[in-house]
Amino acid sequence: MLPKILLIGHLYHPDGEAHLAARSDLTILPAPSREELLESARTAQAISPRYPNLADAEVIDAAEDLVIIHTSGRGTDAVDVEAATRRGVIVCNNPGFGRIPVSEHALFMLLGLSRHGREHDAIMRAGRGWEDRLQKHNIIRDLQDGVLGIVGLGQIGSEMARKCSAAFNMTVLAYDPHVSPEHAASVGATLCPTLEELLGKADYVSVHAELNDETRHMFNEQTLRQMQPHACLVNTARGKIVSQDALHRALTEGWIRAAALDVYEVEPVGPDNPLLALDNLLLSPHVGGLTESFMSGSAMAVATKMLQALSGEPPEAIVNPEAWEPAKQRAMRLLSGG
């Protein structure tokens, strides 16, 4: 009997879905109602959720035969990891695929803010390019020899540090209480003991932290006020790390010069979101990691590792390894027809 796999939303690339369809009883629910989701989860042995559809505690508890939940990217905020661990269900992610594309997107946003790309495009289209190009609000600051503050020095943050240190000779400061000074130095960065120290020195701040209780609303009124008035904020990590209300005030009241966002507190962003009216904010629709290589690679990794776990073999990147033994026992029972 083929294993039952549930995708809540499509994988990033059809190759992954085709791989699963040939080897499993595959169900894809692009935008399920709550009732449809719970009903399909009851028989699922593997689930891959896509935000905003969540594999929360109710979904996990409904899936009696569940062995593995696999996210599409690095983030696991679409999964109740604690509930999965309690049930003996492993949670896997794709930690390596976003390093290059997300760091490149963050660099694109950094350059866009530095060179006033959004503003210059707008005044050109309005026929005011030469008249307005030297206005005070369009003064360009070089990235070269500037100070970049990186919050979160994991794989993506480390790649960002390497790029900016090598390409632009930037002084790279980093805040991450979970890495060593030696690691920071190896990627061209210097660790700051506090976030406040980093914010007070950086011309640009790029966020690459994971979302957890420690980082949720890490950027709020207090921390945004600690940034320099000419500084810019880039967030390509998780939307809930930055308070939207506080950022709106920071940009409208001049606490900081500008910001760039690829991620948001609530996604998708509705047309009434007040951020859309700001002209000192560069926006993109959560596409930082969505290059062709990432989408194909991550989709195939999800498919491969789910089938691997269902065969009783431990996949890579288990975020709750303590759940593997009960998950393996469940997989073996299902394989034997029990």
Side-chain angles (χ1 to χ4, degrees), residues 33-271:
S33 67
R34 188 65 177 175
E35 293 73 18
E36 291 172 330
L37 176 55
L38 290 172
E39 182 61 31
S40 294
R42 295 186 197 286
T43 57
Q45 298 166 27
I47 293 176
S48 180
R50 282 284 302 278
Y51 191 88
N53 297 300
L54 309 179
D56 57 22
E58 187 179 16
V59 171
I60 294 168
D61 289 339
E64 295 183 0
D65 294 331
L66 191 59
V67 174
I68 178 173
I69 302 171
H70 203 308
T71 64
S72 293
R74 180 182 181 85
T76 57
D77 43 306
V79 183
D80 188 328
V81 178
E82 183 177 343
T85 304
R86 185 176 65 249
R87 278 285 321 283
V89 174
I90 59 169
V91 178
C92 291
N93 63 352
N94 275 331
F97 288 95
R99 179 176 63 88
I100 297 301
V102 177
S103 64
E104 287 185 357
H105 194 77
L107 184 56
F108 148 74
M109 291 189 135
L110 198 67
L111 284 163
L113 293 175
S114 169
R115 308 301 299 186
H116 294 264
R118 182 184 185 278
E119 299 94 324
H120 290 150
D121 180 82
I123 61 175
M124 281 296 295
R125 293 176 188 276
R128 305 191 315 271
W130 269 253
E131 293 86 345
D132 290 358
R133 64 178 181 163
L134 296 181
Q135 295 296 317
K136 182 179 179 180
H137 64 276
N138 282 332
I139 293 175
I140 298 169
R141 299 178 66 94
D142 293 331
L143 286 186
Q144 187 77 18
D145 298 322
V147 179
L148 172 66
I150 293 179
V151 179
L153 204 61
Q155 290 187 351
I156 298 172
S158 294
E159 184 65 25
M160 187 69 170
R162 281 190 287 265
K163 282 178 165 62
C164 292
S165 174
F168 299 106
N169 195 39
M170 297 188 82
T171 296
V172 180
L173 306 177
Y175 173 72
D176 189 329
H178 306 291
V179 303
S180 67
E182 291 76 19
H183 171 73
S186 74
V187 297
T190 301
L191 277 184
C192 289
T194 66
L195 178 62
E196 182 178 5
E197 179 177 329
L198 179 148
L199 297 179
K201 295 179 178 179
D203 302 312
Y204 301 90
V205 176
S206 191
V207 182
H208 300 285
E210 294 185 14
L211 177 64
N212 52 41
D213 291 340
E214 181 183 359
T215 62
R216 190 179 305 273
H217 280 191
M218 170 184 278
F219 284 85
N220 49 45
E221 178 170 345
Q222 178 183 353
T223 49
L224 288 169
R225 285 185 180 276
Q226 290 168 353
M227 293 176 64
Q228 301 187 81
H230 70 267
C232 301
L233 177 70
V234 175
N235 186 15
T236 56
R238 282 293 182 263
K240 291 182 174 62
I241 295 175
V242 178
S243 164
Q244 176 178 300
D245 292 343
L247 180 62
H248 188 272
R249 288 192 61 200
L251 293 171
T252 55
E253 297 179 15
W255 310 349
I256 62 176
R257 180 178 72 77
L261 301 177
D262 185 51
V263 291
Y264 308 87
E265 278 204 78
V266 177
E267 297 182 5
V269 175

Side-chain angles (χ1 to χ4, degrees), residues 17-29:
E17 295 178 4
H19 189 77
L20 288 175
R23 296 164 177 82
S24 71
D25 180 357
L26 179 64
T27 299
I28 303 175
L29 301 177

